[in-house]
Amino acid sequence: MTHYLQDIAVLGNTPSAWIAAIFLKQRLASSVTVVCPPLDMAQLSPSKAETLSPQIISELKKVGLQEQHWIGPAGANFCLGQRLCNSSQALDAIAPFAQKGVSLNGIAFHHYAVKAALPNVEAYSLASQMARLNKFVHPVGDHNSILSSFDYGITIDTTKFIRLMVAYAKHVGINVKQVPNLSCISLTVSKAIVSNIQLSDGSKLAAQFVIDATQDLQFFRSLSTNACTNISTNVSTPSDNTIEQHTYSSSCSVDSALGNTSANDLDACANKPQFDRRLIANVPDDAALDAVMNLEYMSGAMLASHRLRGAAYFCLYFSSESMNDNDALNVLRQVLPKSASDFMPQDIRFSPYNAQCLNKPWQGNIMALGPDTGLPAPSYFGDLAMDILNITRFINLAPTSEDMAINAREYNRVFGECSLRCEEYESTLQEVLEGKECNEKTEAKPSSLIHKQTLFRNSGRLANYDNDPLPEYAWMNLLMAGKFKPTKAHSLLDSASIHASLKQIEHIAALISDTVSKLPNIEAYRRHIKLD
């Protein structure tokens, strides 16, 4: 079906803006213009690392960004999954980007692991064993080979990656219009569609659809403040379809002009996130590359760390109610590599995290995009990954006519469900890292999460919900890593059947062990493919 949008404006000089522009241009074949002030690279300093999961890499390929074209210039490295750690709880588990073990006789592997009380489930996962030994090769396409049993992500330096995206955007024909700032002084609203947007420099923004990807969504928010001094609204009357002109003063909110049910939707957050602040830092580090993303629970905070060529990257998520910035910095210093005695001011950045999240980012013909647009799952989907998921969802719902209300409602509905699933994943991750038991009576959590956790605990079955961006193996590996392991195995597994299957299972472990012993470490493999 042909979509309606032929002319789209993307506002901002942020990573979100350039990602959105590329996907819109390549997937919708629309005319896309990035309207932006000059890029302040200080906004991206210090660089942070982010792991792009296999599904995000697949989306990048759809817009022409093949791995071999950007992995080297982006200072990137291969990543086999997550390493979940908490020394006080004796937790050290690998959660790979693939399921562990293989299904036998139509029964999932984790049931065999529970029934046979296997002491080390990682022995039956090629990706887990490779990650432990810091080894890597690309998987093969032959499904009869054990080297087809895993997948991988890619960890990037976000600053280097965005510089590449800016160059690629211009290469594919995206227009760029630079303006001093992006505040709005007037616009027209007709049948919930915003048009004739006049910017502060006097220029007009003519586009069928506008995506605000500015820093802190400043343009989108300015439509609800005094920045917009003259809003004209054309309203069709039901009786004779004549047009009435209504002019609103500077205090007019675009929410009411667009006819939304609540002007508070802009800043409403369905659930207060556990973490509302984060500390981003990187320091020089000449240690070997790491094939996993490390997630560690420390002093009530969650630390995500990566090691790329020549530097260690850290992101500490914490609650401002229980920890101030100095405390957070001291927590981070505990894990600094020995080569880094202290931070320089340019090495660190504190920022709010999910302080104001949108429930309904698509309103009329304007959509907000960026880190403040929803509750992400930072342990699995970083800022860039969430942008890609959100803009891909928008593309799949691209309107086919000027009436976008149905598309907007569906997008906002799916967006809310995805945000909830991500929030549930992060909540479960925190419980796993803290070593908490599955207890539905004392935990204040959504009923859908209680159902997922207790069902898995009681039967080994995984509840699947619509619009969950997390793959099934991600949930399975997370629940098996914590104290949510099933208390009983599949009912078809009796002593006789498990005895016969154990020989197959032992053969799998031996095959994996033999295979891993022959694989190159990640440094040698990078040299082999001329990445370094």
Side-chain angles (χ1 to χ4, degrees), residues 436-489:
K436 289 185 178 180
E437 301 278 354
C438 177
N439 191 333
E440 61 176 299
K441 295 182 179 180
T442 61
E443 292 293 337
K445 62 180 75 169
S447 58
S448 54
L449 181 57
I450 293 174
H451 175 66
K452 181 183 284 284
Q453 292 179 350
T454 54
L455 179 66
F456 188 76
R457 176 72 168 167
N458 295 334
S459 67
R461 292 186 291 128
L462 192 65
N464 293 315
Y465 297 110
D466 290 340
N467 301 311
D468 188 348
L470 282 304
E472 184 174 301
Y473 66 71
W475 278 106
M476 187 73 69
N477 291 337
L478 180 61
L479 292 168
M480 287 293 289
K483 297 180 179 180
F484 299 95
K485 295 183 180 70
T487 55
K488 60 179 69 174

Side-chain angles (χ1 to χ4, degrees), residues 110-249:
H110 68 277
H111 288 286
Y112 291 93
V114 170
K115 186 71 174 180
L118 298 178
N120 181 18
V121 178
E122 289 182 8
Y124 308 90
S125 165
L126 178 61
S128 297
Q129 293 298 297
M130 290 167 63
R132 287 286 179 194
L133 298 174
N134 221 24
K135 296 191 170 188
F136 186 81
V137 292
H138 278 92
V140 300
D142 181 3
H143 295 297
N144 293 318
S145 170
I146 193 171
L147 291 176
S148 67
S149 64
F150 70 97
D151 210 337
Y152 66 97
I154 295 178
T155 301
I156 59 171
D157 177 312
T158 54
T159 300
K160 293 179 180 178
F161 185 77
I162 288 304
R163 284 175 174 152
L164 286 171
M165 294 303 98
V166 173
Y168 184 68
K170 296 175 181 178
H171 171 72
V172 297
I174 291 170
N175 306 310
V176 179
K177 176 183 178 181
Q178 288 200 346
V179 296
N181 62 70
L182 281 172
S183 60
C184 165
I185 61 173
S186 69
L187 54 83
T188 300
V189 182
S190 176
K191 299 179 181 178
I193 299 298
V194 174
S195 61
N196 298 324
I197 301 173
Q198 185 175 356
L199 303 177
S200 58
D201 67 345
S203 64
K204 285 195 174 182
L205 187 62
Q208 294 168 303
F209 201 91
V210 178
I211 290 183
D212 177 17
T214 55
Q215 193 77 19
D216 302 324
L217 304 177
Q218 61 193 36
F219 184 85
F220 199 90
R221 296 182 191 283
S222 75
L223 298 182
S224 298
T225 67
N226 293 342
C228 196
T229 59
N230 183 17
I231 302 180
S232 299
T233 304
N234 300 330
V235 182
S236 297
T237 59
S239 56
D240 56 3
N241 290 325
T242 58
I243 302 296
E244 293 185 16
Q245 295 290 337
H246 297 270
T247 299
Y248 293 85
S249 67

Side-chain angles (χ1 to χ4, degrees), residues 316-435:
L316 185 74
Y317 299 88
F318 62 99
S319 169
S320 58
E321 294 181 355
S322 58
M323 185 181 298
N324 60 37
D325 288 358
N326 285 333
D327 292 336
L329 197 56
N330 289 331
V331 169
L332 191 54
R333 284 195 175 102
Q334 298 175 28
V335 297
L336 276 180
K338 294 180 180 179
S339 58
S341 57
D342 207 346
F343 289 112
M344 298 297 288
Q346 67 269 21
D347 295 329
I348 64 173
R349 182 172 81 246
F350 288 94
S351 63
Y353 177 69
N354 284 331
Q356 293 180 319
C357 302
L358 306 184
N359 277 343
K360 297 179 179 179
W362 184 343
Q363 299 185 21
N365 64 333
I366 299 179
M367 191 181 82
L369 184 74
D372 278 347
T373 323
L375 287 171
S379 65
Y380 201 90
F381 298 121
D383 294 342
L384 290 178
M386 288 305 295
D387 287 339
I388 291 172
L389 288 176
N390 287 332
I391 199 63
T392 299
R393 189 178 305 121
F394 169 78
I395 289 168
N396 293 337
L397 288 168
T400 57
S401 69
E402 185 179 359
D403 184 3
M404 307 180 190
I406 295 177
N407 307 74
R409 283 197 296 271
E410 178 63 10
Y411 178 93
N412 292 330
R413 183 190 70 81
V414 174
F415 176 88
E417 291 184 3
C418 289
S419 295
L420 178 60
R421 301 287 89 82
C422 287
E423 185 184 351
E424 290 174 347
Y425 183 86
E426 289 303 299
S427 176
T428 304
L429 173 65
Q430 279 303 113
E431 292 176 295
V432 169
L433 292 176
E434 294 176 29

Side-chain angles (χ1 to χ4, degrees), residues 38 50 53 69 94 109 140 194 221 252 258 268 276 321 325 332 353 366 377 379 451 473 503 511 513 526 528:
E50 178 175 327
S53 69
H69 297 153
I94 299 291
F109 174 78
V140 300
V194 174
R221 296 182 191 283
C252 170
L258 293 179
D276 60 6
E321 294 181 355
D325 288 358
L332 191 54
Y353 177 69
I366 299 179
S379 65
H451 175 66
Y473 66 71
K503 292 185 177 180
L511 179 60
S513 178
R526 288 171 62 96
H528 172 71

